[in-house]
Amino acid sequence: MIWNSVAELENRQGRLYFDGCSVEELAREFGTPLYVYSENRIRANYRRLLEAYQKEYPRFAAYYAVKANNNPAIIKLLAQLGAGADVACVNEIRMAQAAGVPPEKILYSGVYNSDRDLRYAVENGVRLNLEDVSQLDRLEAIGIPSFLCFRINPGIGASGIEGLIFAGPDAKFGIIERDIERAYAKAKTLGVQTFGIHMMTGSNILSVSYFEQVVEKLLDLAGPIAQKLNIQFDFIDIGGSLGVPYRPGEEELDLDAVARTVVGKLRQKLSQYNMGEPLLLHEPGRFLVCDAGILLASVTSIKDGHKRFVGLDAGMHTLLRPALYGAYHHILYAGDLSAACDTPLNLVGQVCENTDQFAKDRPLPANVKVGDLFAILNVGSYGFCMSSQYNSQPRAAEVLVANGRASLIREREGYQNIIQGTRIPPHLIGEA
Ligand code: LLP
């Protein structure tokens, strides 16, 4: 095994294969930079999650956080597996609808929604997850749905990356403790019949005890409200957050242990507050697709300056995470996996920013040359969807691979895509 438990990444005589496809052949056929996703790995991730939880708590369901990778083929694959959808905006609602996710399995957790956003969700029968009482006031004019969920800021957030902490005093998300009761009471008065409660406290969390801790906190907020207001919770949604290891040696999250401790705490609290057996929802993005994606990039130029810089045809416009969060992504020298990694290299992109560096002083083979292929791992989530056309760089193509077959699921952009939709006003045309 080359990388954690990703069986689909294989070393065949020193060459890298992904879900049965030679990555070198993929690069030749589709060009680089190229996002490649393994269908079998996504299926396996979904199955692992469901099995881990359902053996502890049969009323468990997973909603895929579409923002992690919004390629319609990926959404469709997860929808076919039975996943619901966590969506962040009207376009994501539309994408989930197009993939065939039934409206009652689409949870719209918009942030700072406009009236137009709310109206679209209500009119399409999508379930709403509100993040402030003021949104409820505005919903009155649009139409009160029979079901409502509120996103709670339980006061504790976590992540290895500071920018990925979504709860606590500094977070822009969710209803704070003081306002929770008021929100549910008002919704009930307005005629809402069934309720959900939701939190999303941080992303890429690898600690089992953290999940238990936040579930306890959420239920200690929900329980007294359920009793006091005599309301029924249809579901308890504990967000996404399930982490994956990005660095070699980092321990994988013990999913069985997470499910066991989360459900143990959940059952204890449900019975303490006499809350019945609501649906338990998880809405992971990263866990389902992160390690199912690699980014192939070719060496364009090599420079020996203060350091050795190896230029790639992918850059921060293709994969933003290293530049934005200082995030680590493991990188393989795809054409010769057996080459000794003993030379510190800096893998950089073509964008005119010095943060455009995928790896600094990373031990890699000494004989890397122009035209060689690298594979950047763990890019199935928050990869393509955060890419841009900065520096007039076109976006990459995407392929889905399964058992040695590859399907193009997004065409590579070109010059036309960069200028598409732009116009030169008449007064600027024809004059020197
Ligand atoms: N639910 C809600 C309401 C969310 O906002 C998110 C992610 C998820 C679920 C899925 O979280 P996950 O399972 O992936 O942790 N751009 C960052 C990640 C931002 C996550 C935003 N919200 C990155 O590149 O790591």
Side-chain angles (χ1 to χ4, degrees):
M1 194 114 20
I2 306 181
W3 183 246
N4 298 322
S5 61
V6 187
E8 290 74 16
L9 270 177
E10 283 177 274
N11 177 345
R12 295 194 190 167
Q13 276 107 41
R15 300 190 170 273
L16 184 63
Y17 278 68
F18 199 29
D19 213 334
C21 291
S22 149
V23 300
E24 291 161 289
E25 275 171 31
L26 291 173
R28 270 193 296 277
E29 184 176 351
F30 299 100
T32 55
L34 182 70
Y35 275 95
V36 184
Y37 309 117
S38 157
E39 185 175 324
N40 281 311
R41 182 63 183 174
I42 296 175
R43 288 179 187 278
N45 286 344
Y46 182 75
R47 225 177 15 245
R48 280 195 299 142
L49 179 67
L50 239 63
E51 280 171 12
Y53 268 97
Q54 282 183 342
K55 68 175 188 261
E56 303 290 337
Y57 194 80
R59 285 186 45 71
F60 170 82
Y63 283 15
Y64 170 54
V66 168
K67 63 180 75 67
N69 185 326
N70 68 349
N71 187 294
I74 304 287
I75 306 172
K76 181 88 186 167
L77 169 61
L78 283 154
Q80 280 186 1
L81 291 174
D86 155 60
V87 296
C89 65
V90 167
N91 284 342
E92 286 191 357
I93 297 177
R94 294 176 61 177
M95 292 176 104
Q97 288 172 314
V101 183
E104 67 278 8
K105 281 172 67 178
I106 301 176
L107 184 63
Y108 170 44
S109 298
V111 182
Y112 298 87
N113 310 305
S114 70
D115 285 352
R116 230 169 116 221
D117 301 330
L118 293 172
R119 177 166 291 115
Y120 185 90
V122 170
E123 287 176 359
N124 283 270
V126 163
R127 291 189 144 187
L128 272 170
N129 183 23
L130 300 183
E131 45 139 17
D132 189 30
V133 199
S134 65
Q135 294 176 341
L136 202 47
D137 302 334
R138 288 163 44 215
L139 254 193
E140 279 192 78
I142 294 167
I144 298 290
S146 61
F147 169 91
L148 258 190
C149 183
F150 289 105
R151 177 176 183 161
I152 305 304
N153 176 348
I156 31 176
S159 175
I161 291 177
E162 202 193 325
L164 301 185
I165 297 175
F166 301 138
D170 219 23
K172 70 171 185 175
F173 305 102
I175 299 182
I176 58 171
E177 207 164 329
R178 185 193 67 201
D179 293 335
I180 302 174
E181 188 182 322
R182 189 156 62 91
Y184 283 96
K186 174 149 197 192
K188 192 179 176 194
T189 311
L190 291 172
V192 176
Q193 281 145 26
T194 47
F195 295 87
I197 189 161
H198 170 277
M199 66 174 175
M200 171 68 199
T201 53
S203 195
N204 199 35
I205 295 166
L206 287 165
S207 137
V208 173
S209 61
Y210 176 78
F211 286 94
E212 186 187 5
Q213 195 192 339
V214 283
V215 166
E216 177 169 31
K217 185 77 205 275
L218 187 69
L219 269 290
D220 279 337
L221 293 169
I225 287 171
Q227 290 186 326
K228 189 163 174 197
L229 302 177
N230 189 27
I231 59 174
Q232 191 69 36
F233 280 106
D234 210 35
F235 68 64
I236 309 284
D237 184 337
I238 59 175
S241 313
L242 298 165
V244 299
Y246 280 79
R247 289 176 188 271
E250 225 169 22
E251 285 249 347
E252 265 186 68
L253 189 59
D254 181 343
L255 203 57
D256 287 332
V258 173
R260 207 171 41 245
T261 51
V262 162
V263 170
K265 187 54 75 184
L266 179 77
R267 285 196 190 283
Q268 178 200 333
K269 292 286 164 186
L270 289 176
S271 88
Q272 177 184 338
Y273 295 113
N274 205 5
M275 291 170 76
E277 201 168 274
L279 196 63
L280 172 63
L281 289 185
H282 234 316
E283 45 181 45
R286 192 183 319 266
F287 178 82
L288 293 174
V289 293
C290 180
D291 63 13
I294 63 175
L295 172 61
L296 301 179
S298 305
V299 177
T300 50
S301 196
I302 299 179
K303 177 161 79 185
D304 282 312
H306 289 301
K307 299 163 151 194
R308 173 167 286 191
F309 291 101
V310 174
L312 300 176
D313 56 7
M316 63 188 287
H317 61 289
T318 328
L319 174 68
L320 183 61
R321 302 188 76 254
L324 187 62
Y325 309 119
Y328 179 97
H329 282 264
H330 202 58
I331 301 178
L332 300 175
Y333 184 51
D336 186 3
L337 294 169
S338 49
C341 292
D342 54 8
T343 309
L345 297 181
N346 301 271
L347 296 188
V348 303
Q350 297 177 312
V351 169
C352 301
E353 298 272 357
N354 207 34
T355 49
D356 183 28
Q357 307 206 14
F358 289 130
K360 294 185 179 177
D361 297 320
R362 185 81 60 89
L364 285 165
N367 59 348
V368 170
K369 54 190 187 311
V370 170
D372 283 353
L373 191 65
F374 281 98
I376 305 177
L377 306 189
N378 277 357
V379 300
S381 58
Y382 309 111
F384 182 94
C385 58
M386 289 171 69
S387 67
S388 74
Q389 294 177 331
Y390 184 40
N391 268 219
S392 306
Q393 292 280 1
R395 273 181 278 246
E398 295 177 289
V399 295
L400 185 66
V401 290
N403 309 315
R405 275 183 303 111
S407 318
L408 184 66
I409 58 170
R410 190 188 303 265
E411 286 175 14
R412 178 175 306 289
E413 287 186 349
Y415 175 69
Q416 282 307 323
N417 301 95
I418 307 255
I419 56 165
Q420 189 181 15
T422 60
R423 289 184 182 38
I424 312 280
H427 72 278
L428 295 181
I429 298 175
E431 283 173 38

